[in-house]
Amino acid sequence: MSLINTQVKPFKATAYHNGKFVDLTEASLKGKWSVFVFYPADFTFVCPTELEDLANNYAEFAKLGVEVYGISTDTHFAHKAWHDTSDAIKKVQYPLVGDPTGLLARNFEVMIEEEGLALRGTFVINPEGQIKVLEVHDNGIGRDATELLRKVKAAQYVASHPGEVCPAKWTEGAATLKPSLDLVGKI
Amino acid sequence: MSLINTQVKPFKATAYHNGKFVDLTEASLKGKWSVFVFYPADFTFVCPTELEDLANNYAEFAKLGVEVYGISTDTHFAHKAWHDTSDAIKKVQYPLVGDPTGLLARNFEVMIEEEGLALRGTFVINPEGQIKVLEVHDNGIGRDATELLRKVKAAQYVASHPGEVCPAKWTEGAATLKPSLDLVGKI
Amino acid sequence: MSLINTQVKPFKATAYHNGKFVDLTEASLKGKWSVFVFYPADFTFVCPTELEDLANNYAEFAKLGVEVYGISTDTHFAHKAWHDTSDAIKKVQYPLVGDPTGLLARNFEVMIEEEGLALRGTFVINPEGQIKVLEVHDNGIGRDATELLRKVKAAQYVASHPGEVCPAKWTEGAATLKPSLDLVGKI
Amino acid sequence: MSLINTQVKPFKATAYHNGKFVDLTEASLKGKWSVFVFYPADFTFVCPTELEDLANNYAEFAKLGVEVYGISTDTHFAHKAWHDTSDAIKKVQYPLVGDPTGLLARNFEVMIEEEGLALRGTFVINPEGQIKVLEVHDNGIGRDATELLRKVKAAQYVASHPGEVCPAKWTEGAATLKPSLDLVGKI
Amino acid sequence: MSLINTQVKPFKATAYHNGKFVDLTEASLKGKWSVFVFYPADFTFVCPTELEDLANNYAEFAKLGVEVYGISTDTHFAHKAWHDTSDAIKKVQYPLVGDPTGLLARNFEVMIEEEGLALRGTFVINPEGQIKVLEVHDNGIGRDATELLRKVKAAQYVASHPGEVCPAKWTEGAATLKPSLDLVGKI
Amino acid sequence: MSLINTQVKPFKATAYHNGKFVDLTEASLKGKWSVFVFYPADFTFVCPTELEDLANNYAEFAKLGVEVYGISTDTHFAHKAWHDTSDAIKKVQYPLVGDPTGLLARNFEVMIEEEGLALRGTFVINPEGQIKVLEVHDNGIGRDATELLRKVKAAQYVASHPGEVCPAKWTEGAATLKPSLDLVGKI
Amino acid sequence: MSLINTQVKPFKATAYHNGKFVDLTEASLKGKWSVFVFYPADFTFVCPTELEDLANNYAEFAKLGVEVYGISTDTHFAHKAWHDTSDAIKKVQYPLVGDPTGLLARNFEVMIEEEGLALRGTFVINPEGQIKVLEVHDNGIGRDATELLRKVKAAQYVASHPGEVCPAKWTEGAATLKPSLDLVGKI
Amino acid sequence: MSLINTQVKPFKATAYHNGKFVDLTEASLKGKWSVFVFYPADFTFVCPTELEDLANNYAEFAKLGVEVYGISTDTHFAHKAWHDTSDAIKKVQYPLVGDPTGLLARNFEVMIEEEGLALRGTFVINPEGQIKVLEVHDNGIGRDATELLRKVKAAQYVASHPGEVCPAKWTEGAATLKPSLDLVGKI
Amino acid sequence: MSLINTQVKPFKATAYHNGKFVDLTEASLKGKWSVFVFYPADFTFVCPTELEDLANNYAEFAKLGVEVYGISTDTHFAHKAWHDTSDAIKKVQYPLVGDPTGLLARNFEVMIEEEGLALRGTFVINPEGQIKVLEVHDNGIGRDATELLRKVKAAQYVASHPGEVCPAKWTEGAATLKPSLDLVGKI
Amino acid sequence: MSLINTQVKPFKATAYHNGKFVDLTEASLKGKWSVFVFYPADFTFVCPTELEDLANNYAEFAKLGVEVYGISTDTHFAHKAWHDTSDAIKKVQYPLVGDPTGLLARNFEVMIEEEGLALRGTFVINPEGQIKVLEVHDNGIGRDATELLRKVKAAQYVASHPGEVCPAKWTEGAATLKPSLDLVGKI
């Protein structure tokens, strides 16, 4: 069964965020849009470029009222140390969540059991805590923050305009479709 | 468990393709890259714009040696009728696969059981029949063929350049990363 | 066990009916006679002739207070598109029910599991929601609406004349039999 | 699951046929078309009229190479006694099969368990022993031998003309349909 | 475990009795002695001689306040037809019970499952509905009504004379035994 | 299920017979007819009269080639002691079988579990070890050896005259019936 | 687990005692000491000598307020007959308990299942119904009533002198031991 | 089920014997008679008097070819220390077996689970390793070595004189009984 | 799962302590620190040197408010006897706990099942009954009481100084560490 | 059950060692002594002092032929980064093993499941791969490398001097004990 439209399962985690250790639960997600960005491991190769790409676009996510969460099976201690020592990660202003038990990675079905590491999974979660978009890459294939932004905007548009749907390659400001019996079989 | 890196499960299906009904199995995927594009239903709203978007980019997919498959739980008869009558779908040159038993939708975990329809799921499959990228949208949120093209190219690059990985927002021709001990903790 | 005399199981479905999409449940059947006519798929060969034959006799069914339902595992979207484009189906004034989950086809035991399509099954249902007559053909063999009319009339006659039974080849107006001890072993 | 296209299950039974007791098994059906006609009980009301109707049409069934079998849960002894004493049943030239264990009634899913009697079920079986048409009436509703003849002919026509199907209300000599891609969505 | 001293299990059946069809249940047995006489099938060989033998002794059973029930897995319709046509059975004044479901034959453990017919079982039942004597013969071996009468009388005597027992070959009027400590080891 | 026509189950037992202790198994029964006569307990009331009645008729059983076995759940020691001290039992020339484990009483379904004693059960067993007649009385009701002799003779007659059956109240020398189609429904 | 210190399980039995048949249950044991003496079978060899030995010592058991029970799987009828006819058993004034169901033999774990007979088991039971001493011999080895008397006295002494224990070979009147810390490791 | 006549189960144990630690298994028992004497614990009260009583009679056991084994759940280390320090135990010349795992106590069903100590159980074992006599006392009640000697002698006599049995209170040299049919019911 | 931080499971035991037998349960541990010292067996080699080493350091444990418990699967009787006779053990002033059932050894997972003896396990338990330090040696390897003292002190220090942790080789009076975000990744 | 004397279970892991990533399995441990030192997490407080303490004593471990392994549930990437940036960890010359799946922590029963981190567990493993000493501290309590060295030496001494055991507080060069019967109960 797909995770789409399911509720985020209960969890407890500690994140490193702006020089502090903060506790998070599924309740922390309620009331605003969230993006969960899983990556395999701190101190590795593709990961910092992806996290940096998100950091560079963070202002725009913020403008949309979206919080971004970077998540790996490392501890929050390792996240702080990485943040302290990596030029790329230093730019990250969003929370880096420690998941050493793998609870989150398993809840979102991105755990590679034989390695104890997460796949590159991205999840857009609405303010009610439901997953609306998911995307998982095999670990060598990097993600693109601007694609993610487009999806977030489409998801937000649909959520706030009941009765409209976003057609293919929809971007902000483009026309949407209003489902009606007349359109059936006519496009 | 994630579907990433799993083998496509055995299946039998009939597709409408270039004026003919053709039989497909998991063996039909071997030897070239494939993209599986699930959508909810023929004769509906978002679907034709997505399929048309793919049709408009089909030449490029073809250049990359990629076959595209549009899949819904409709029959191949309905696919032909839609192709005959819809201006948007008339452009589609790739196979439209009938999945009335829902076998494919269930194998790729995109079946909405209470509706009998598929979610908007996209899957990039390598020539060995393994899923390398997956993406699923809640049904109101359209997809973008150019984003899909970028992912396919990254997946192909990584597959043909063992020992390199694509960093975030990698596009064709951009530099990749070569993992090495020296990079650990240095980016 | 036979379905004869069992209650129609609960269901939810959407039908295309006279230019509208309407919702149906088992409750919609209560209070009048119904005929359920399953067929394999929209846009195929035998199906439209059967549905057209029923359409041609629909006035007579209506006179008997009987509603006819055409049912396939296609969606109601496909039903509308078929109705829009087929000369035969255009004549259909009764509801065409979408059953993409196959719930109805399985409830009436006419699902061909390996195809995801229904067999040609016909069911006469009384105003209490009980199945009184059933008939299933292998898919190449067409049905005859006048035969169905005869059976509906016999079923209605027996229902409204307790203590009488319809002998073989009974047609409207013909004599019936009144069971009595005297007749035992005497015919 | 429907019985349509399933193989007749193994059975052993004794029938009264032309003044003799004869043994029957599923092997007795191989090589010619058969019609199984279940009825509730010897010495009752509707039953003899149905069996007589079949007897009156028996010559035509025979011309089509079809054997007819009347079956109830009575013994073959009761069948003989009924044949000896009933004017209607005296006309029957086809086998009357005793099914006191109810094995046949259960195999064909027409047993009324709380009565130990069969429903009015009719089954057309091809020379390979597969059920092609089935029809079951609640017990007050009589059958019509001429309708049965039409169905047998349609089933035989389809069997001997691969690639053709009988449209609705087809009768012997009428045009059939040849499925082809061109017809899809065109009727 | 033996059926002796067990309660007759609940049942429902229809019997042919003196030109009427009558309903019977286990409650019908309460308050008087009953004899259940199972036989294989109507219209066969040994059966009518046994039923005739009972009919010839019926006056005496009646004098003892005993009702006799003839039971086979035939229907009550067949029982009536047999009664109408057989000279032997015409004499039967006691109920002939139809057991087409085999419920009674199974409750009294005389069903031959592979034939759907009952063995020749005889059961003497007291006014409380408890089985006091049972006797079963393989089907070729006929019973004797006078032996049955002797057993019924012995059972009735013991029931109405608590503290006495009938010795071997006891017949009406003969001396009985009164159990006492003194007799232990002394006969 | 009835014990009629089942094979006697394997057993081992010791009997007191003509001043000796002898071992018996199911193999001891092969090749001649046997009668098993269960009774509740040595040194009690009805029992010796039944065993004496059999002793008085033993010559006739012997002439028919039948061995009689008296069986209770007492030991063979108690049987000898009873034989030594009871005038009635002194006459017994047939084996008295000890069944202290209750194996035989349970095999023949005559064990009263809450008392550890057998019911008055009688079984006629053919030379192949199959039970052909059974009779069980509640414990106060005595049996009659002459009735048993009649049944044994009928069973032997049927066994040695295949194709004939003994009608009701058949006794040695009386006419039997030969089943044939002509008799069906004619008696 | 040992039976020592367990409660005698509920039972119902009939005994022959002083010319009467009396009913016994576990409640009959409450309030006085009991000795249960199992033996294999009435009318055998070792058994009467053991029962006679107990009979000869019965006055002394009585003086100690102890009831003795002789128990075998024979019936109380057999016990009476044995008492009537055996010179040894005539002396027995204590109850001889019939255990034809083997309930007691199984409760005290002395049943030889393949023979249906009890082993030579002896059990000393206190007035609360708890087993304090047990002794079982293979069946050829006889018991000695004087040894049993010694054990009963020791058990009674310990029961009535809390805080003392009987050393080895203790007999009535001999010194006992009072457990104390000082004695630990000092004897 | 009784342990009488069962085979001693496999075991491994270490004993203190004549100044040495020796290993024992069930094989050590084969070829001579053994007596197993369980007691609760070293350094306690009743135990040394029982072990001393056996020591005082050990010469006679030896003459009979019997080995005695004292067994508790203490270790063989504790046995040696007790032997070194207790005047009573110093006399013991037979093996003192350590059973700290409780395997032997459980095999002989004398373990008090809530204390981890054995009951006072005595077992006579024949040279084939089968238990012939068992005796268990509640822990306050001491045993008597001379009673044990009598039982051993009786067991040996019966073993070496097949066809004879020891009557009650048999002691060495006394007459035995020879079972024969003539004695049945005559003692 | 580790025993660290689990609650001591309920137990009952008897110890020899300062010339008395005293009862202990898990409740006896509440309110002060405890050390459980398991050893294999009384009267053996390494054990007394370890117990003596603890005895020599007992004053210091006492000063820290710690009770020491020596535990083996011997009985408290054996403990007393050992204390009486061994020069080394005579010095022991702390309780020697008897564990003949092995309950404690199993609760602390130090039972060697095939020997019935405990491994050399040491456990430091806080006043709430939780295990804070554990140490188990294969049986040839002796322990050192001064190492144990160091661990007890560290455990007590941490317990009484929330927010501090003892670094490696910490001894009483040495500096501790206060965890703070600033230290993360900085040592 | 204790882990003492069990075999190290199969595992696969990657360690950071002297500037390289090296693969380890249980086979890597064979042929020399190993010490496994689990700690909770990289970049935390107590951990570096413990690892530094071991580093300072590493020369002595090396002299004894012992390899030391530091293990946490962090990745080998994090280990390298920590080694690169921490002054304390820079001194570590022994392998730091990554255990992100927790396989090793679970095999050695030191996983804190709700945190995904290991307890402070230390294990001495012999060249055959068997655990001889184990020690686990609650996480605030630091370990001491010199205590570990003493234990390793004792374990090695016992391994190389069969028949000797190390008494309490044994240190290199001190006398050992030779177990003999004479010592039992004498220390």
Side-chain angles (χ1 to χ4, degrees), chain D residues 133-153:
Chain D
V133 171
L134 68 83
E135 182 183 70
V136 191
H137 288 196
D138 188 18
N139 270 333
I141 306 163
R143 286 163 288 187
D144 185 331
T146 58
E147 292 175 3
L148 180 56
L149 268 171
R150 190 194 65 80
K151 289 174 189 184
V152 169
K153 287 175 188 168

Side-chain angles (χ1 to χ4, degrees), chain A residues 56-116:
Chain A
N56 290 339
N57 286 276
Y58 187 57
E60 188 146 7
F61 281 105
K63 233 186 316 175
L64 297 170
V66 178
E67 184 55 289
V68 176
Y69 298 88
I71 310 170
S72 76
T73 58
D74 292 286
T75 64
H76 54 286
F77 302 117
H79 288 344
K80 176 181 182 299
W82 197 24
H83 196 274
D84 286 354
T85 59
S86 157
D87 289 342
I89 302 305
K90 264 204 184 67
K91 299 182 190 166
V92 171
Q93 291 174 286
Y94 49 83
L96 292 172
V97 185
D99 186 30
T101 64
L103 176 67
L104 281 166
R106 285 191 186 91
N107 282 356
F108 285 83
E109 299 178 1
V110 292
M111 181 56 112
I112 314 171
E113 290 291 345
E114 61 277 21
E115 301 186 16

Side-chain angles (χ1 to χ4, degrees), chain E:
Chain E
M1 212 195 74
S2 179
L3 288 171
I4 291 296
N5 285 320
T6 64
Q7 204 69 26
V8 170
K9 292 189 192 146
F11 69 93
K12 281 190 188 175
T14 303
Y16 177 72
H17 191 199
N18 291 334
K20 296 233 176 75
F21 287 152
V22 295
D23 289 334
L24 293 173
T25 72
E26 73 284 5
S28 319
L29 310 182
K30 291 294 173 66
K32 62 187 306 190
W33 289 78
S34 311
V35 173
F36 271 33
V37 179
F38 288 89
Y39 62 94
D42 289 358
F43 307 106
T44 50
F45 320 112
V46 178
C47 305
T49 68
E50 289 190 326
L51 298 182
E52 187 180 15
D53 183 22
L54 283 163
N56 292 338
N57 287 276
Y58 187 58
E60 187 147 6
F61 282 104
K63 235 188 312 175
L64 297 170
V66 178
E67 183 57 289
V68 175
Y69 297 89
I71 310 170
S72 76
T73 58
D74 291 285
T75 64
H76 53 286
F77 302 117
H79 287 344
K80 173 180 186 299
W82 197 23
H83 195 274
D84 287 353
T85 59
S86 159
D87 289 342
I89 302 305
K90 263 202 185 70
K91 300 182 188 164
V92 171
Q93 290 174 286
Y94 49 82
L96 292 172
V97 185
D99 185 30
T101 64
L103 177 66
L104 281 166
R106 287 192 185 89
N107 283 356
F108 285 83
E109 300 178 1
V110 293
M111 180 56 111
I112 314 172
E113 290 292 344
E114 62 275 22
E115 300 185 18
L117 308 180
L119 285 160
R120 289 180 199 286
T122 311
F123 299 83
V124 177
I125 300 163
N126 73 10
E128 288 73 40
Q130 292 159 332
I131 301 165
K132 303 305 282 185
V133 171
L134 67 82
E135 180 182 73
V136 191
H137 289 197
D138 188 18
N139 270 332
I141 307 164
R143 285 164 290 189
D144 186 333
T146 57
E147 293 174 3
L148 180 57
L149 267 170
R150 190 193 66 81
K151 289 174 190 186
V152 169
K153 286 176 188 168
Q156 288 185 333
Y157 189 92
V158 170
S160 58
H161 295 76
E164 299 183 33
V165 294
C166 297
K169 38 192 332 163
W170 181 90
T171 56
E172 212 181 355
T176 60
L177 296 169
K178 290 200 203 197
S180 77
L181 188 67
D182 302 336
L183 284 176
V184 169
K186 299 301 185 209
I187 306 180

Side-chain angles (χ1 to χ4, degrees), chain H residues 15 22 62 78 82 93 98 117 121-122 154 182:
Chain H
V22 295
W82 199 23
Q93 291 174 286
L117 308 181
T122 311
D182 301 336

